[in-house]
Amino acid sequence: MPVARRWRFVVRRLGFYLVALWSAITLNFFLPRLMPGDPSAAIVDKLQRVSGQQLGPEALRSVQNIFGEPSANLGRQYLDYLAQLARFDLGISVSNFPMPVSELVRQGLPWTLLLVGSTTVLAFLLGTGLGALAGWRAGSRFDTVISPLVTFVSAVPYFWTALIALWVFGFSLGWFPLSGGYDADLEVGFSPGFLLSVLRYGALPAATILFSAFGGWLLGMRNMTVTTVREDYVLLAQAKGLSEKRVLLRYAARNAMLPNFTGFALALGHVIGGALLTEIVFSYPGIGYLLFTALQQRDYPVMQGVFLLITLTVLLANLLADSVYALLDPRIREGG
């Protein structure tokens, strides 16, 4: 492919993602403002309940200087919002006033990355490996047992799996805590006691995610491997007398896993948003639970910050998947 055409492809793709980012930012600005409620009035009501005193209109105006006046010109608010983003300022939380949204996101993001990020990687590795083995030995006892089993598991809604696991292993047997991310009596840090507490609190939600997620990777890889083993280059490798392990890893699985790898890149983009159900069921202190509480309390700045973070990760994951496909399949560059 000529260098000039390659650069045109890169510029077109980057232009598409920049337009998508601008569209997402614009929607992120307007959608919360279509919802009922006034963040400034909510803050004043909260201050009045805490202080037990009636606050005057000056207090409302001072709070509106921070959150913006709902009746103000939307165009002006939009330009102010873009200026805030340019300064990496996500605003002030309504429900946790006066804490910045960026601080809340900074506190919740490591928990989500630890829980959902690690389980996404493990589910991909486990499902892809077992799927390649099942596809290579299609029709064997292993394949006839595991394929229907994971099909059934994948059909069960995740929240049912999570609720049943929580009731059995948390409530009935008492093996795991019912909610939270660590023991509240411990000081946050890298001490052995705190790390063990984090593992204990995260074990059950991680196990339910892994149990529900790896089946999709397994079935996808199994079906692609069944198709790939019939290709001429695989048959030729077998005819050359290469070992079964080498043919599977270097020829069959290597080519069959391209769709799985693309799906993995997209799954990484949905790590933050995909934590919502998990963190609600287990009250896990991550980004998903932060978004849930923000929706309950109509905390617009937090909603905007989390939605923007989810948008950025999804767009970056799509760009990564797009780039990998373009590198591995020249036909996409020719047609792009």
Side-chain angles (χ1 to χ4, degrees):
M1 185 183 201
V3 176
R5 182 179 296 179
R6 187 177 302 160
W7 276 108
R8 283 199 299 270
F9 170 80
V10 172
V11 170
R12 280 197 299 268
R13 301 312 295 170
L14 287 178
F16 167 78
Y17 283 106
L18 287 175
V19 172
L21 177 61
W22 171 79
S23 303
I25 289 175
T26 302
L27 286 174
N28 193 38
F29 169 79
F30 281 104
L31 286 178
R33 283 161 175 78
L34 297 177
M35 298 175 65
D38 179 1
S40 303
I43 283 293
V44 171
D45 290 340
K46 181 178 179 180
L47 292 176
Q48 288 178 159
R49 289 195 302 270
V50 172
S51 64
Q53 299 178 355
Q54 187 71 23
L55 301 181
E58 296 82 5
L60 179 61
R61 282 195 296 269
S62 63
V63 174
Q64 285 176 342
N65 289 333
I66 300 175
F67 292 101
E69 187 178 353
S71 59
N73 180 270
L74 277 178
R76 182 61 187 174
Q77 290 186 52
Y78 179 64
L79 293 177
D80 291 341
Y81 177 65
L82 293 179
Q84 279 186 331
L85 292 183
R87 300 191 303 269
F88 301 100
D89 180 7
L90 299 178
I92 304 296
S93 170
V94 173
S95 56
N96 296 277
F97 183 81
M99 183 176 290
V101 175
S102 57
E103 178 63 21
L104 292 174
V105 171
R106 188 192 66 80
Q107 292 177 1
L109 188 58
W111 295 99
T112 295
L113 293 178
L114 174 66
L115 176 65
V116 188
S118 60
T119 50
T120 299
V121 174
L122 287 174
F124 169 75
L125 295 176
L126 180 63
T128 300
L130 292 178
L133 185 60
W136 180 257
R137 299 178 178 176
S140 65
R141 180 177 299 179
F142 175 74
D143 180 42
T144 55
V145 170
I146 196 169
S147 295
L149 180 62
V150 298
T151 301
F152 171 76
V153 170
S154 300
V156 178
Y158 168 74
F159 65 89
W160 275 109
T161 304
L163 288 173
I164 291 173
L166 188 64
W167 181 75
V168 173
F169 299 105
F171 181 76
S172 299
L173 299 177
W175 291 355
F176 298 98
L178 296 177
S179 62
Y182 60 93
D183 194 336
D185 296 334
L186 297 175
E187 183 179 352
V188 178
F190 291 98
S191 63
F194 177 77
L195 294 178
L196 288 175
S197 178
V198 169
L199 290 175
R200 181 168 176 264
Y201 275 78
L204 190 58
T208 55
I209 295 175
L210 186 62
F211 179 77
S212 299
F214 90 98
W217 300 115
L218 187 150
L219 292 175
M221 187 64 182
R222 185 260 180 199
N223 295 335
M224 285 301 302
T225 304
V226 168
T227 303
T228 304
V229 295
R230 300 191 181 101
E231 298 290 341
D232 293 339
Y233 59 87
V234 177
L235 298 177
L236 179 61
Q238 291 174 320
K240 288 181 178 180
L242 299 178
S243 66
E244 182 178 305
K245 179 180 179 181
R246 184 174 182 183
V247 174
L248 172 60
L249 296 179
R250 297 292 298 275
Y251 292 87
R254 183 176 180 179
N255 291 277
M257 73 178 300
L258 180 58
N260 257 26
F261 182 80
T262 305
F264 175 64
L266 298 179
L268 289 179
H270 289 87
V271 160
I272 295 175
L276 181 61
L277 279 178
T278 306
E279 296 178 2
I280 290 175
V281 172
F282 293 96
S283 299
Y284 197 78
I287 294 295
Y289 193 70
L290 175 64
L291 176 60
F292 175 67
T293 55
L295 289 169
Q296 285 184 317
Q297 299 172 0
R298 294 178 181 175
D299 194 336
Y300 298 157
V302 173
M303 283 189 278
Q304 284 182 310
V306 174
F307 286 148
L308 182 61
L309 182 62
I310 294 174
T311 300
L312 288 175
T313 55
V314 171
L315 286 177
L316 286 174
N318 276 273
L319 179 60
L320 175 62
D322 213 359
S323 302
V324 170
Y325 253 122
L327 289 173
L328 298 180
D329 192 347
R331 294 173 298 177
I332 294 179
R333 298 195 299 265
E334 296 291 341

